[in-house]
Amino acid sequence: MAVAAGVSTATVSLVLRGVAGPSVATAQRVLAAAEQLGYRPDRAASALASRRSRTIGVALDLSNPFHADLTLAIQDAALRQGHEVLLATVTARQDENATAETLLDSRCAALILLGPRGPVPELERIGRQVPVVALGRPLISEQVGVVRSADDTGIALAVRHLVDLGHRRIAYVDGPPGEVADIRRDGYRRAMADAGSSRWTRVVPGGQTEDDGRAAAPAVLRASGRSVPTAVVAFNDRCAVGLLAACAEAGVGAPADLSVVGFDDSALARLPQIGLTTVAQDVRSLGEHAVAAAVRRASGDGEIGPEVVVPPHLVVRSTTAPPGR
């Protein structure tokens, strides 16, 4: 390229890095030569040479539609701050550790892990190699930053909405083992107690997928008389959608026979044919806080600091109504 532009390699480097020095005419010759030769800068090599990268690695589960929403918010926030995002997926064949290693090999400046499920010591091991932010999982660690929604507040919003509609027999379909499920379950119990319905508190085993919601349906529906719930709050949207499908197959309509509330406000919940009432996590705010924490730690400007807890809000759609029985 230096030969094609008729300048030194040092001048080429200055122009491509946007450093002042070369004249406008010289810069134009270098850029024209670069375009003619189809040159693309090796960003990994540049990061290695400068010992600094402006790439944030994000580990996500593609089977989770809410992770797609979070990823878009993270990418928007990163671009606004002059950073790029590199994605790596957690799959049945590639666990979180392998995904993190892939991102580490790409010399990311920091990692944002979406809903990580691995043991805290393992997350801290990764955090000793590169700044790590856990997005969506509450945990206590000086090595890992935390950005999450106020899950208990969100569940309380769901219960309060149903109580205001006139429901008193409100069941809860639980999530998978973990801190998030613990917080949401406790939030449900407290909200039921606050509503004066603690005697009717009923937690049904569930999970985080549509199949888990389907599997929970018989336990929700098998009771009779005053033991049958008139409303259900599910751990997340996917679980709620599976529950809705199983109820429809059993001839139980929503909301005529059973009101259902999810959690996340994922793209799935927003589909017109589903119209799920749900607790919406503030995706934009979560993404901004996660990127800010990752950048702050990667730049060496200080510790990540205490966890950031973002308040959710309720989105009312067509799966909730006053009790019909």
Side-chain angles (χ1 to χ4, degrees), residues 97 170 191 204-205 210 245 261 264 267 287 304-305:
N97 289 337
I170 304 168
V204 176
E210 294 85 352
V261 182
D264 284 340
I304 288 181

Side-chain angles (χ1 to χ4, degrees), residues 84-166:
E84 295 182 333
V85 169
L86 180 64
L87 306 180
T89 58
V90 178
T91 67
R93 294 188 176 183
Q94 178 165 285
D95 62 14
E96 288 175 356
N97 289 337
T99 301
E101 292 299 327
T102 297
L103 294 171
L104 289 173
D105 289 344
S106 300
R107 300 187 179 278
C108 294
L111 304 185
I112 298 175
L113 310 180
L114 305 190
R117 297 189 292 273
V120 173
E122 191 58 39
L123 298 179
E124 291 179 327
R125 181 191 66 79
I126 300 170
R128 285 191 289 272
Q129 301 176 69
V130 65
V132 171
V133 176
L135 177 52
R137 175 183 172 182
L139 54 89
I140 300 174
S141 171
E142 295 182 358
Q143 197 69 48
V144 179
V146 174
V147 177
R148 65 178 183 88
S149 291
D151 294 287
D152 51 350
T153 299
I155 293 295
L157 290 173
V159 172
R160 173 50 57 188
H161 166 65
L162 293 169
V163 168
D164 289 344
L165 287 174

Side-chain angles (χ1 to χ4, degrees), residues 251-269:
V252 177
D257 303 311
L258 185 73
S259 286
V260 178
V261 182
F263 200 113
D264 284 340
D265 194 27
S266 63
L268 191 63

Side-chain angles (χ1 to χ4, degrees), residues 6-307:
V7 298
S8 67
T9 55
T11 298
V12 170
S13 178
L14 290 173
V15 172
L16 295 180
R17 288 187 291 122
V19 178
S23 67
V24 174
T26 297
Q28 289 176 341
R29 288 205 311 275
V30 171
L31 294 175
E35 182 176 358
Q36 184 178 3
L37 295 171
Y39 170 78
R40 291 179 61 85
D42 187 339
R43 294 178 178 176
S46 298
L48 180 61
S50 64
R51 296 185 179 276
R52 186 169 183 178
S53 166
R54 297 189 68 79
T55 300
I56 298 173
V58 176
L60 70 152
D61 179 356
L62 284 179
S63 68
N64 188 334
F66 183 61
H67 281 195
D69 293 341
L70 284 174
T71 300
L72 290 174
I74 290 169
Q75 189 165 42
D76 287 345
L79 289 175
R80 286 196 299 271
Q81 297 193 40
H83 288 71
E84 295 182 333
V85 169
L86 180 64
L87 306 180
T89 58
V90 178
T91 67
R93 294 188 176 183
Q94 178 165 285
D95 62 14
E96 288 175 356
N97 289 337
T99 301
E101 292 299 327
T102 297
L103 294 171
L104 289 173
D105 289 344
S106 300
R107 300 187 179 278
C108 294
L111 304 185
I112 298 175
L113 310 180
L114 305 190
R117 297 189 292 273
V120 173
E122 191 58 39
L123 298 179
E124 291 179 327
R125 181 191 66 79
I126 300 170
R128 285 191 289 272
Q129 301 176 69
V130 65
V132 171
V133 176
L135 177 52
R137 175 183 172 182
L139 54 89
I140 300 174
S141 171
E142 295 182 358
Q143 197 69 48
V144 179
V146 174
V147 177
R148 65 178 183 88
S149 291
D151 294 287
D152 51 350
T153 299
I155 293 295
L157 290 173
V159 172
R160 173 50 57 188
H161 166 65
L162 293 169
V163 168
D164 289 344
L165 287 174
H167 295 276
R168 292 298 180 269
R169 306 197 304 274
I170 304 168
Y172 179 69
V173 177
D174 208 357
E179 297 93 337
V180 174
D182 292 344
I183 291 175
R184 292 184 187 179
R185 185 189 319 111
D186 290 345
Y188 160 73
R189 287 177 169 142
R190 284 196 299 272
M192 290 293 283
D194 291 342
S197 298
S198 57
R199 287 187 175 182
W200 210 94
T201 298
R202 183 176 171 194
V203 177
V204 176
Q208 60 182 354
T209 70
E210 294 85 352
D211 287 342
D212 293 324
R214 280 181 168 275
V220 172
L221 301 176
R222 73 163 57 105
S224 61
R226 300 290 295 177
S227 297
V228 178
T230 61
V232 176
V233 179
F235 172 76
N236 66 5
D237 291 343
R238 295 179 67 189
C239 183
V241 168
L243 175 66
L244 284 169
C247 287
E249 292 169 1
V252 177
D257 303 311
L258 185 73
S259 286
V260 178
V261 182
F263 200 113
D264 284 340
D265 194 27
S266 63
L268 191 63
R270 298 192 294 270
L271 289 173
Q273 59 268 41
I274 295 178
L276 180 66
T277 294
T278 185
V279 178
Q281 301 195 56
D282 189 339
V283 171
R284 180 182 177 89
S285 182
L286 289 169
E288 289 176 344
H289 282 296
V291 170
V295 170
R296 185 167 62 249
R297 182 66 176 271
S299 66
D301 290 340
E303 296 298 318
I304 288 181
E307 68 173 2

